[in-house]
Amino acid sequence: MKKLINSVDTVLSDSLHGFCRAHGDILVAGDDLKFVRRKDLKQGKVALISGGGSGHEPLHGGFVGHGMLDAACPGQVFTSPTPDQMIAAVEAVDTGAGALFIVKNYEGDVMNFEMAAEMAVGEVATVLTNDDVAVEDSLYTTGRRGVAGTLVVEKIVGAAAEAGGDLASLKALGDKVNARTRSMGVALTSCTVPAAGKPMFEIGDGEMEMGVGIHGEPGRRRVQLATAEEIAAEMTGAILRDLGEAASGEVLLFVNGFGATPAMELYLMYGEAVKSVEAAGLSIARSLVGNYVTALDMAGCSITVTVLDEEMKRFWDASVHTAALRWGM
């Protein structure tokens, strides 16, 4: 294993120190690195808090800042953060309007965020993301996995919070965005967790894992490597079938890299996904391409489709200033 690390025991803390130094104009670290939070809090605003296992950067810390999250709680690699991290984050960023947790549907995340919501002082609501159409259950989840669609929820709800939305309306909006969002991923290689020192799973040179999860969980099936056109057609087809009658009008098309896929290939996949989406009669109103919800060094990508309405478009377009997303400022 070749990694740019000092030791497997300090990889997360070392990374967080560097992250906060690089983006000190936007965010600061909480005590004992339990969370990172927005540097300049907006009084009277509902606080948005998310988090999860590390290894998916820039999710979630890279989305802390104006127009998105107020705090993010990083767990160890592919491991849920603990309730005390979330409680500390609430105490640091809740300015009196309550807090909204945005939680990916993984068993540890759900359990720990639920415990934190029960123990936190002040009003707390939760939006659960479960956009992955590949499989209903895995080692990590009960029900569908929360994957790249989480970014879409965080961006749209974050803009609504910045505009002054109350806790109830923000939860309703988050649930709506999640319900109108579907994703599916494909892996060409495994990822390597530093503590393990070897790939999480074996995959042949001529194989791919269709429907893989962001922790390297198995997908729908192991198949022979196909062309980008064929891969994109299968993924978008599964997404649109799952959306059913809701798949109409304008959509956001988001092609996300898993960490080791170059931009050239991601844009190529975007171009192929466009063909399938437009062939289904949909209009692509907004786009995003890049490595945003990763799986360490896994090669592959996911495709996300969100069916937009005017409110969602307005909040997607609203200004954002974070380490990983910046526009309109």
Side-chain angles (χ1 to χ4, degrees), residues 232 236 253 269-280 282 284 287:
T236 54
L253 177 60
M269 284 294 293
Y270 176 86
E272 296 301 335
V274 165
K275 297 177 185 177
S276 297
V277 171
E278 291 184 340
L282 304 176
I284 299 172
S287 302

Side-chain angles (χ1 to χ4, degrees), residues 59-138:
L59 188 80
H60 295 276
F63 305 139
V64 171
H66 174 88
M68 287 192 79
L69 299 176
D70 293 279
C73 303
Q76 294 297 320
V77 174
F78 293 174
T79 302
S80 172
T82 59
D84 71 291
Q85 291 178 254
M86 301 151 196
I87 294 169
V90 172
E91 292 173 349
V93 300
D94 183 359
T95 62
L100 181 67
F101 287 161
I102 299 176
V103 184
K104 301 187 303 300
N105 188 33
Y106 294 94
E107 187 174 0
D109 289 20
V110 172
M111 178 179 66
N112 288 348
F113 272 101
E114 283 181 350
M115 291 176 61
E118 292 171 358
M119 299 168 64
V121 175
E123 190 175 3
V124 178
T126 299
V127 171
L128 186 69
T129 64
N130 57 356
D131 51 301
D132 191 357
V133 306
V135 293
E136 289 296 327
D137 298 292
S138 75

Side-chain angles (χ1 to χ4, degrees), residues 40-319:
D40 300 315
L41 298 177
K42 187 174 182 179
Q43 297 299 311
K45 171 189 171 297
V46 173
L48 264 62
I49 301 168
S50 192
S54 297
H56 304 305
E57 289 78 13
L59 188 80
H60 295 276
F63 305 139
V64 171
H66 174 88
M68 287 192 79
L69 299 176
D70 293 279
C73 303
Q76 294 297 320
V77 174
F78 293 174
T79 302
S80 172
T82 59
D84 71 291
Q85 291 178 254
M86 301 151 196
I87 294 169
V90 172
E91 292 173 349
V93 300
D94 183 359
T95 62
L100 181 67
F101 287 161
I102 299 176
V103 184
K104 301 187 303 300
N105 188 33
Y106 294 94
E107 187 174 0
D109 289 20
V110 172
M111 178 179 66
N112 288 348
F113 272 101
E114 283 181 350
M115 291 176 61
E118 292 171 358
M119 299 168 64
V121 175
E123 190 175 3
V124 178
T126 299
V127 171
L128 186 69
T129 64
N130 57 356
D131 51 301
D132 191 357
V133 306
V135 293
E136 289 296 327
D137 298 292
S138 75
L139 292 174
Y140 297 83
T141 68
T142 301
R144 292 188 172 188
R145 304 178 290 219
V147 288
T150 306
L151 176 155
V152 183
V153 174
E154 291 178 353
K155 172 62 185 79
I156 291 174
V157 178
E162 201 74 44
D166 62 24
L167 185 58
S169 68
L170 295 176
K171 173 175 169 48
L173 177 61
D175 289 339
K176 179 178 78 169
V177 177
N178 178 68
R180 297 164 74 103
T181 299
R182 300 290 190 278
S183 302
M184 189 170 175
V186 62
L188 307 183
T189 69
S190 176
C191 52
T192 302
V193 175
K198 61 181 180 180
M200 288 191 66
F201 59 89
E202 297 295 329
I203 187 167
D205 289 341
E207 295 180 322
M208 61 183 182
E209 185 75 26
M210 182 61 71
V212 72
I214 57 173
H215 304 95
E217 311 101 305
R220 288 187 170 186
R221 65 191 192 281
R222 180 74 56 87
V223 295
Q224 292 299 301
L225 185 63
T227 65
E229 181 179 27
E230 292 167 331
I231 296 169
E234 178 168 348
M235 293 164 69
T236 54
I239 288 167
L240 297 180
R241 285 192 298 273
D242 199 89
L243 281 167
E245 294 182 359
S248 63
E250 295 185 322
V251 300
L252 162 70
L253 177 60
F254 170 26
V255 174
N256 170 68
F258 285 149
T261 304
M264 180 178 69
E265 295 177 29
L266 295 179
Y267 280 109
L268 190 157
M269 284 294 293
Y270 176 86
E272 296 301 335
V274 165
K275 297 177 185 177
S276 297
V277 171
E278 291 184 340
L282 304 176
S283 173
I284 299 172
R286 302 292 185 272
S287 302
L288 186 66
V289 180
N291 286 286
Y292 292 106
V293 182
T294 64
L296 292 170
D297 56 349
M298 188 158 70
C301 72
S302 61
I303 295 174
T304 298
V305 175
T306 299
V307 180
L308 298 170
D309 61 18
E310 290 303 316
E311 177 186 47
M312 292 163 62
K313 280 197 298 183
R314 184 173 74 254
F315 287 133
W316 179 264
D317 291 342
S319 62

